[in-house]
Amino acid sequence: MENRAETTVGEHVELEYQLTREDMRQALKARAKASGRARRTQRFAVIAVAGFVGASAVPLAKGETPDTGSMVIAGVLIVVLFVLQPWLTARQFHKIASRNGAYRAGVDGSGVTVSNTGGSSQLNWTAAPHYAETPDNFVLLSGDKNVSCLTVLPKRGVQEPGTVEACRSLLDRHIRRL
């Protein structure tokens, strides 16, 4: 499918796109930065890994044999929490989103309308009061403390570089960038 975009005096931007796993990975990473729960979970994971590494490092510093069990647990935690979990979550979100095929989105002064084969939804700016910009996407985020909802607008959905700036300008005018 070809990605297209149109702008009308900078007040309306149309996007057409297929969501990718990378879109979802970037969106979920942006959401995690905005979510209090995700930040607390990340801190807990870092503390847990540090604890297991520390349990191995203390004996090593004393010239003793380190506890290999703690080192193995730390390694497994690192792989699961920082590599596999984000990848698997993005994969699952992409699987759900890709069932709906191609997406069309319109951004204007009243909000964002997104449609696909599964239906359409309209978000006014109060439903998505924040957004984050990643290298490839604009990610609209809900205002609740856990940032339970997100909408992904891939920049590749527009063809002309000026259209990305028009979209950014609309978002900046109506909602807060994180």
Side-chain angles (χ1 to χ4, degrees):
M1 176 178 159
E2 184 177 304
N3 294 324
R4 295 184 329 182
E6 302 169 12
T7 59
T8 307
V9 194
E11 292 301 314
H12 184 79
V13 176
E14 289 286 331
L15 300 95
E16 289 188 21
Y17 52 90
Q18 294 269 8
L19 287 171
T20 66
R21 279 193 195 125
E22 180 59 16
D23 292 333
M24 297 312 297
R25 189 193 67 75
Q26 288 182 23
L28 290 168
K29 188 174 179 180
R31 177 183 170 262
K33 288 180 181 178
S35 168
R37 176 182 287 173
R39 285 191 307 270
R40 286 188 299 276
T41 301
Q42 186 78 6
R43 273 189 235 123
F44 175 76
V46 168
I47 290 168
V49 169
F52 284 109
V53 169
S56 299
V58 169
L60 192 60
K62 293 179 180 178
E64 300 170 2
T65 305
D67 177 20
T68 55
S70 293
M71 289 173 50
V72 168
I73 291 172
V76 169
L77 280 174
I78 289 169
V79 169
V80 170
L81 296 174
F82 300 107
V83 178
L84 287 179
Q85 188 270 335
W87 181 81
L88 289 170
T89 303
R91 182 174 179 260
Q92 187 63 32
F93 270 72
H94 174 258
K95 186 176 180 180
I96 293 166
S98 66
R99 290 180 189 151
N100 295 317
Y103 285 75
R104 291 183 64 106
V107 183
D108 60 28
S110 63
V112 178
T113 302
V114 179
S115 60
N116 56 43
T117 59
S120 66
S121 62
Q122 175 140 9
L123 298 170
N124 61 26
W125 295 121
T126 57
H130 313 294
Y131 84 96
E133 185 172 354
T134 71
D136 301 321
N137 304 296
F138 294 109
V139 184
L140 307 181
L141 303 163
S142 63
D144 60 296
K145 68 179 181 176
N146 293 322
V147 190
S148 58
C149 297
L150 59 86
T151 301
V152 184
L153 301 173
K155 294 176 185 177
R156 72 177 175 284
V158 300
Q159 287 186 342
E160 301 156 16
T163 309
V164 171
E165 281 75 31
C167 189
R168 184 181 299 112
S169 176
L170 271 166
L171 295 173
D172 283 338
R173 202 171 321 137
H174 296 285
I175 58 179
R176 186 170 61 94
R177 186 189 314 209
L178 298 177

